[in-house]
Amino acid sequence: MTISEDEISGAAALLRAGKLVAFPTETVYGLGADATQDAAVVAVFAAKGRPKFNPLISHVADAGKAVALGKFNAEAHKLAEAYWPGPLTLVVPRTAHCPVSLLASAGLASIALRVPSHPIALALLRRADRPIVAPSANPSGGISPTLASHVVSGLGSSVAMVLDGGACTIGIESTVIKCMGGEPVLLRPGGLKKSDIEAVLGKKLLIEAMKAGRPDAPGQLEQHYAPRAKVILDVVWPRFDVGLLAFGPKVPRHPGPVLNLSDRGDLKEAAANLFRMMHELDEAGVQTIAVMPIPNEGLGEAINDRLIRAAAPFHR
Ligand code: TXA
Ligand code: MG
């Protein structure tokens, strides 16, 4: 999927004018806005129906720009060096003169920063020449988009432009790590393997399971990444009337719709397929999506994190 220079400069001009532009990253599509304009940041929360206490990630074109916005300790530097550009988000203290809207930090003294590796995202960030907030481009609580068509069906008219970069290769959001002094904390498992990160740091990560979108209140799980259908997990013998989200070579015979995350049992492939297949089973109109067991290792940790939240009881 190629995008012309004209489209990139058109998208950058819209961002600078305070409009919303959806763009591909290697993880999922982001709903972009100029991070330095309060009104543009407010428009992102409004378009997603996102609670204002859930802060946004600011995206920049390189690590040099990130260190002007946040204070990096030795561990944050190490991680940025190892993984940027790529599927890593660092939560660090804001610098004194950080130009990013305080609304993006939702009242916290921290800022979340990421340098994505997708060439379209990088070209857009360079051209816009300012930090761009970009949550996943889906209505709050829903399934994240890994195709441009997901963005159009989910957010449609609230977006001025959608840059279509085809399917996102990683397919699951960035790993979020908090480096706020003290030991580094894993806030969200994502596109990087925890064991690899721990090898880079030479120590174990602390783990803080945040309540859906409430980084200051860890603990209780709320529904997120949720399709319209009900989601049930670790299913070995599916009922006849469910949509089956399978994994691996041994799939029970099933009369209803079946999509296999990876028939060779590859977790990377499964991550890349996860959200698209959840979208597709939802569109097939099943009442229930039954998910086969996914090993909880490597990228399986991020996949299971999303599935557990998709299956969590709904309360708002
Ligand atoms: O892969 C990704 O990270 C995608 C692409 C578009 O870059 N973006 C994304 O954004 O997933 P979003 O808004 O859907 O998720 C951002 C997560 C949320 O869980 C939010 O609570 C957390 O990052 N977060 C943002 N700022 C934070 C902060 N200052 N402290 C703690 N958590 C923060
Ligand atoms: Mg999201």
Side-chain angles (χ1 to χ4, degrees):
M1 204 72 63
T2 50
I3 297 262
S4 68
E5 267 305 303
D6 281 357
E7 281 175 281
I8 297 287
S9 45
L14 285 169
L15 287 171
R16 298 172 73 121
K19 301 281 191 274
L20 307 186
V21 172
F23 60 95
T25 81
E26 69 280 18
T27 58
V28 300
Y29 276 76
L31 177 63
D34 182 344
T36 66
Q37 295 184 40
D38 286 341
V41 174
V42 167
V44 168
F45 282 101
K48 282 181 62 83
R50 177 170 173 127
K52 298 269 193 341
F53 54 72
N54 190 2
L56 305 174
I57 301 171
S58 291
H59 297 67
V60 288
D62 56 63
K65 295 203 163 60
V67 298
L69 306 176
K71 295 182 214 158
F72 283 51
N73 62 14
E75 278 145 352
H77 275 297
K78 233 189 217 178
L79 292 171
E81 176 81 13
Y83 292 116
W84 279 349
L88 169 74
T89 295
L90 289 172
V91 173
V92 298
R94 292 171 64 106
T95 52
H97 301 289
C98 176
V100 169
S101 165
L102 286 164
L103 299 169
S105 287
L108 303 169
S110 55
I111 184 166
L113 296 165
R114 175 159 115 81
V115 181
S117 66
H118 195 294
I120 295 175
L122 283 175
L124 181 63
L125 291 169
R126 285 198 200 100
R127 188 60 72 94
D129 195 26
R130 58 195 58 199
I132 299 296
V133 286
S136 52
N138 54 280
S140 182
I143 311 169
S144 302
T146 55
L147 290 174
S149 60
H150 297 156
V151 180
V152 174
S153 61
L155 295 175
S157 54
S158 46
V159 187
M161 184 174 182
V162 180
L163 293 173
D164 188 346
C168 301
T169 51
I170 294 177
I172 206 155
E173 293 88 343
S174 61
T175 299
V176 182
I177 298 178
K178 183 166 80 172
C179 294
M180 292 287 292
E183 298 299 312
V185 181
L186 177 67
L187 294 180
R188 177 176 75 181
L192 301 173
K193 288 187 197 163
K194 178 153 68 74
S195 54
D196 288 351
I197 301 168
E198 290 175 338
V200 166
L201 290 172
K203 61 168 81 162
K204 292 268 178 211
L205 286 166
L206 298 179
I207 295 181
E208 208 171 89
M210 67 172 102
K211 187 169 159 181
R214 193 134 211 170
D216 51 342
Q220 191 195 348
L221 217 54
E222 279 182 30
Q223 196 178 47
H224 205 79
Y225 308 100
R228 183 196 40 74
K230 183 178 166 201
V231 175
I232 53 175
L233 304 179
D234 294 321
V235 174
V236 184
W237 300 108
R239 262 173 48 159
F240 72 95
D241 58 346
V242 303
L244 182 63
L245 191 56
F247 178 78
K250 287 192 203 135
V251 179
R253 273 226 280 219
H254 184 62
V258 180
L259 292 175
N260 198 329
L261 289 167
S262 170
D263 44 26
R264 52 195 166 92
D266 177 56
L267 289 164
K268 212 169 151 196
E269 182 180 38
N273 285 330
L274 178 68
F275 292 139
R276 177 177 53 80
M277 289 185 173
M278 283 169 66
H279 276 286
E280 284 175 11
L281 287 174
D282 224 12
E283 280 153 21
V286 294
Q287 294 300 306
T288 304
I289 297 174
V291 189
M292 285 177 64
I294 314 282
N296 205 38
E297 65 204 28
L299 287 187
E301 291 185 55
I303 295 172
N304 283 318
D305 171 81
R306 304 306 187 270
L307 286 170
I308 288 166
R309 290 170 198 274
F314 184 80
H315 46 109
R316 249 187 207 149

PDB file of all heavy atoms in Angstrom, residues 12 15-16 34 36 60-61 65 122-132:
ATOM      1  N   ALA A  12      -0.693  16.123   7.107  1.00  0.00           N
ATOM      2  CA  ALA A  12       0.052  16.939   8.076  1.00  0.00           C
ATOM      3  C   ALA A  12      -0.596  18.314   8.211  1.00  0.00           C
ATOM      4  O   ALA A  12      -0.713  18.853   9.319  1.00  0.00           O
ATOM      5  CB  ALA A  12       1.515  17.066   7.650  1.00  0.00           C
ATOM      6  N   LEU A  15      -3.637  18.019  10.382  1.00  0.00           N
ATOM      7  CA  LEU A  15      -3.260  17.915  11.797  1.00  0.00           C
ATOM      8  C   LEU A  15      -2.908  19.284  12.362  1.00  0.00           C
ATOM      9  O   LEU A  15      -3.346  19.654  13.453  1.00  0.00           O
ATOM     10  CB  LEU A  15      -2.074  16.959  11.963  1.00  0.00           C
ATOM     11  CG  LEU A  15      -2.386  15.465  11.790  1.00  0.00           C
ATOM     12  CD1 LEU A  15      -1.098  14.641  11.753  1.00  0.00           C
ATOM     13  CD2 LEU A  15      -3.293  14.967  12.923  1.00  0.00           C
ATOM     14  N   ARG A  16      -2.124  20.026  11.609  1.00  0.00           N
ATOM     15  CA  ARG A  16      -1.703  21.351  12.098  1.00  0.00           C
ATOM     16  C   ARG A  16      -2.883  22.297  12.225  1.00  0.00           C
ATOM     17  O   ARG A  16      -2.867  23.219  13.035  1.00  0.00           O
ATOM     18  CB  ARG A  16      -0.637  21.935  11.172  1.00  0.00           C
ATOM     19  CG  ARG A  16       0.621  21.062  11.144  1.00  0.00           C
ATOM     20  CD  ARG A  16       1.594  21.520  10.081  1.00  0.00           C
ATOM     21  NE  ARG A  16       2.243  22.743  10.472  1.00  0.00           N
ATOM     22  CZ  ARG A  16       3.556  22.886  10.612  1.00  0.00           C
ATOM     23  NH1 ARG A  16       4.357  21.868  10.387  1.00  0.00           N
ATOM     24  NH2 ARG A  16       4.063  24.033  10.975  1.00  0.00           N
ATOM     25  N   ASP A  34      -2.986  16.997  16.807  1.00  0.00           N
ATOM     26  CA  ASP A  34      -1.870  17.815  17.281  1.00  0.00           C
ATOM     27  C   ASP A  34      -1.878  17.829  18.815  1.00  0.00           C
ATOM     28  O   ASP A  34      -2.811  18.353  19.432  1.00  0.00           O
ATOM     29  CB  ASP A  34      -2.041  19.233  16.719  1.00  0.00           C
ATOM     30  CG  ASP A  34      -0.898  20.155  17.122  1.00  0.00           C
ATOM     31  OD1 ASP A  34      -0.149  19.817  18.066  1.00  0.00           O
ATOM     32  OD2 ASP A  34      -0.771  21.211  16.474  1.00  0.00           O
ATOM     33  N   THR A  36      -0.246  19.521  20.830  1.00  0.00           N
ATOM     34  CA  THR A  36      -0.014  20.812  21.476  1.00  0.00           C
ATOM     35  C   THR A  36      -1.269  21.701  21.478  1.00  0.00           C
ATOM     36  O   THR A  36      -1.256  22.791  22.038  1.00  0.00           O
ATOM     37  CB  THR A  36       1.144  21.581  20.792  1.00  0.00           C
ATOM     38  OG1 THR A  36       0.751  21.919  19.451  1.00  0.00           O
ATOM     39  CG2 THR A  36       2.410  20.734  20.745  1.00  0.00           C
ATOM     40  N   VAL A  60       6.230  10.775  18.379  1.00  0.00           N
ATOM     41  CA  VAL A  60       7.221  11.669  17.774  1.00  0.00           C
ATOM     42  C   VAL A  60       8.090  10.876  16.808  1.00  0.00           C
ATOM     43  O   VAL A  60       8.096   9.643  16.830  1.00  0.00           O
ATOM     44  CB  VAL A  60       8.099  12.365  18.851  1.00  0.00           C
ATOM     45  CG1 VAL A  60       7.292  13.418  19.610  1.00  0.00           C
ATOM     46  CG2 VAL A  60       8.699  11.358  19.816  1.00  0.00           C
ATOM     47  N   ALA A  61       8.835  11.624  15.957  1.00  0.00           N
ATOM     48  CA  ALA A  61       9.569  10.975  14.865  1.00  0.00           C
ATOM     49  C   ALA A  61      10.892  10.348  15.294  1.00  0.00           C
ATOM     50  O   ALA A  61      11.408   9.466  14.618  1.00  0.00           O
ATOM     51  CB  ALA A  61       9.815  11.976  13.739  1.00  0.00           C
ATOM     52  N   LYS A  65      13.438  13.944  19.842  1.00  0.00           N
ATOM     53  CA  LYS A  65      12.237  14.757  20.108  1.00  0.00           C
ATOM     54  C   LYS A  65      11.563  14.298  21.393  1.00  0.00           C
ATOM     55  O   LYS A  65      11.003  15.110  22.137  1.00  0.00           O
ATOM     56  CB  LYS A  65      11.270  14.646  18.937  1.00  0.00           C
ATOM     57  CG  LYS A  65      11.829  15.249  17.659  1.00  0.00           C
ATOM     58  CD  LYS A  65      10.713  15.626  16.705  1.00  0.00           C
ATOM     59  CE  LYS A  65      11.195  16.590  15.646  1.00  0.00           C
ATOM     60  NZ  LYS A  65      12.290  16.016  14.820  1.00  0.00           N
ATOM     61  N   LEU A 122       5.926   7.555  10.375  1.00  0.00           N
ATOM     62  CA  LEU A 122       7.134   8.376  10.524  1.00  0.00           C
ATOM     63  C   LEU A 122       7.127   9.556   9.560  1.00  0.00           C
ATOM     64  O   LEU A 122       7.476  10.679   9.934  1.00  0.00           O
ATOM     65  CB  LEU A 122       8.387   7.523  10.302  1.00  0.00           C
ATOM     66  CG  LEU A 122       8.770   6.619  11.475  1.00  0.00           C
ATOM     67  CD1 LEU A 122       9.960   5.738  11.096  1.00  0.00           C
ATOM     68  CD2 LEU A 122       9.088   7.446  12.718  1.00  0.00           C
ATOM     69  N   ALA A 123       6.710   9.308   8.321  1.00  0.00           N
ATOM     70  CA  ALA A 123       6.662  10.400   7.333  1.00  0.00           C
ATOM     71  C   ALA A 123       5.687  11.475   7.796  1.00  0.00           C
ATOM     72  O   ALA A 123       5.968  12.679   7.703  1.00  0.00           O
ATOM     73  CB  ALA A 123       6.241   9.846   5.965  1.00  0.00           C
ATOM     74  N   LEU A 124       4.550  11.047   8.344  1.00  0.00           N
ATOM     75  CA  LEU A 124       3.544  12.006   8.813  1.00  0.00           C
ATOM     76  C   LEU A 124       4.066  12.805  10.011  1.00  0.00           C
ATOM     77  O   LEU A 124       3.886  14.026  10.087  1.00  0.00           O
ATOM     78  CB  LEU A 124       2.265  11.246   9.199  1.00  0.00           C
ATOM     79  CG  LEU A 124       1.102  12.098   9.693  1.00  0.00           C
ATOM     80  CD1 LEU A 124       0.611  13.048   8.593  1.00  0.00           C
ATOM     81  CD2 LEU A 124      -0.054  11.216  10.176  1.00  0.00           C
ATOM     82  N   LEU A 125       4.724  12.124  10.940  1.00  0.00           N
ATOM     83  CA  LEU A 125       5.250  12.818  12.130  1.00  0.00           C
ATOM     84  C   LEU A 125       6.317  13.838  11.731  1.00  0.00           C
ATOM     85  O   LEU A 125       6.369  14.941  12.271  1.00  0.00           O
ATOM     86  CB  LEU A 125       5.829  11.802  13.124  1.00  0.00           C
ATOM     87  CG  LEU A 125       4.793  10.902  13.812  1.00  0.00           C
ATOM     88  CD1 LEU A 125       5.469   9.769  14.571  1.00  0.00           C
ATOM     89  CD2 LEU A 125       3.919  11.730  14.754  1.00  0.00           C
ATOM     90  N   ARG A 126       7.164  13.452  10.777  1.00  0.00           N
ATOM     91  CA  ARG A 126       8.208  14.393  10.328  1.00  0.00           C
ATOM     92  C   ARG A 126       7.566  15.608   9.679  1.00  0.00           C
ATOM     93  O   ARG A 126       7.950  16.746   9.944  1.00  0.00           O
ATOM     94  CB  ARG A 126       9.136  13.707   9.326  1.00  0.00           C
ATOM     95  CG  ARG A 126      10.079  12.767  10.008  1.00  0.00           C
ATOM     96  CD  ARG A 126      11.278  12.420   9.121  1.00  0.00           C
ATOM     97  NE  ARG A 126      11.865  11.195   9.631  1.00  0.00           N
ATOM     98  CZ  ARG A 126      11.654   9.992   9.122  1.00  0.00           C
ATOM     99  NH1 ARG A 126      10.918   9.842   8.019  1.00  0.00           N
ATOM    100  NH2 ARG A 126      12.185   8.927   9.678  1.00  0.00           N
ATOM    101  N   ARG A 127       6.579  15.346   8.825  1.00  0.00           N
ATOM    102  CA  ARG A 127       5.968  16.450   8.098  1.00  0.00           C
ATOM    103  C   ARG A 127       5.155  17.354   9.028  1.00  0.00           C
ATOM    104  O   ARG A 127       5.172  18.586   8.897  1.00  0.00           O
ATOM    105  CB  ARG A 127       5.093  15.894   6.970  1.00  0.00           C
ATOM    106  CG  ARG A 127       4.560  16.949   6.033  1.00  0.00           C
ATOM    107  CD  ARG A 127       5.702  17.727   5.358  1.00  0.00           C
ATOM    108  NE  ARG A 127       6.383  16.913   4.381  1.00  0.00           N
ATOM    109  CZ  ARG A 127       6.098  16.887   3.090  1.00  0.00           C
ATOM    110  NH1 ARG A 127       5.148  17.652   2.619  1.00  0.00           N
ATOM    111  NH2 ARG A 127       6.769  16.116   2.274  1.00  0.00           N
ATOM    112  N   ALA A 128       4.454  16.749   9.979  1.00  0.00           N
ATOM    113  CA  ALA A 128       3.650  17.563  10.912  1.00  0.00           C
ATOM    114  C   ALA A 128       4.568  18.369  11.827  1.00  0.00           C
ATOM    115  O   ALA A 128       4.219  19.448  12.285  1.00  0.00           O
ATOM    116  CB  ALA A 128       2.724  16.679  11.737  1.00  0.00           C
ATOM    117  N   ASP A 129       5.736  17.810  12.114  1.00  0.00           N
ATOM    118  CA  ASP A 129       6.765  18.494  12.886  1.00  0.00           C
ATOM    119  C   ASP A 129       6.278  18.954  14.258  1.00  0.00           C
ATOM    120  O   ASP A 129       6.537  20.082  14.671  1.00  0.00           O
ATOM    121  CB  ASP A 129       7.313  19.678  12.071  1.00  0.00           C
ATOM    122  CG  ASP A 129       8.619  20.191  12.668  1.00  0.00           C
ATOM    123  OD1 ASP A 129       9.317  19.389  13.334  1.00  0.00           O
ATOM    124  OD2 ASP A 129       8.926  21.386  12.501  1.00  0.00           O
ATOM    125  N   ARG A 130       5.572  18.081  14.921  1.00  0.00           N
ATOM    126  CA  ARG A 130       5.092  18.331  16.284  1.00  0.00           C
ATOM    127  C   ARG A 130       4.603  17.006  16.853  1.00  0.00           C
ATOM    128  O   ARG A 130       4.295  16.092  16.095  1.00  0.00           O
ATOM    129  CB  ARG A 130       3.955  19.355  16.277  1.00  0.00           C
ATOM    130  CG  ARG A 130       2.787  18.921  15.432  1.00  0.00           C
ATOM    131  CD  ARG A 130       1.853  20.072  15.142  1.00  0.00           C
ATOM    132  NE  ARG A 130       2.560  21.159  14.477  1.00  0.00           N
ATOM    133  CZ  ARG A 130       2.133  22.408  14.421  1.00  0.00           C
ATOM    134  NH1 ARG A 130       0.996  22.738  14.993  1.00  0.00           N
ATOM    135  NH2 ARG A 130       2.811  23.337  13.796  1.00  0.00           N
ATOM    136  N   PRO A 131       4.539  16.889  18.188  1.00  0.00           N
ATOM    137  CA  PRO A 131       4.029  15.637  18.756  1.00  0.00           C
ATOM    138  C   PRO A 131       2.565  15.419  18.395  1.00  0.00           C
ATOM    139  O   PRO A 131       1.784  16.384  18.359  1.00  0.00           O
ATOM    140  CB  PRO A 131       4.212  15.824  20.263  1.00  0.00           C
ATOM    141  CG  PRO A 131       4.471  17.274  20.484  1.00  0.00           C
ATOM    142  CD  PRO A 131       4.982  17.856  19.207  1.00  0.00           C
ATOM    143  N   ILE A 132       2.229  14.176  18.113  1.00  0.00           N
ATOM    144  CA  ILE A 132       0.872  13.830  17.708  1.00  0.00           C
ATOM    145  C   ILE A 132       0.305  12.806  18.696  1.00  0.00           C
ATOM    146  O   ILE A 132       0.878  11.716  18.849  1.00  0.00           O
ATOM    147  CB  ILE A 132       0.884  13.208  16.272  1.00  0.00           C
ATOM    148  CG1 ILE A 132       1.435  14.214  15.236  1.00  0.00           C
ATOM    149  CG2 ILE A 132      -0.504  12.701  15.876  1.00  0.00           C
ATOM    150  CD1 ILE A 132       0.596  15.462  15.037  1.00  0.00           C
TER     151      ILE A 132
END
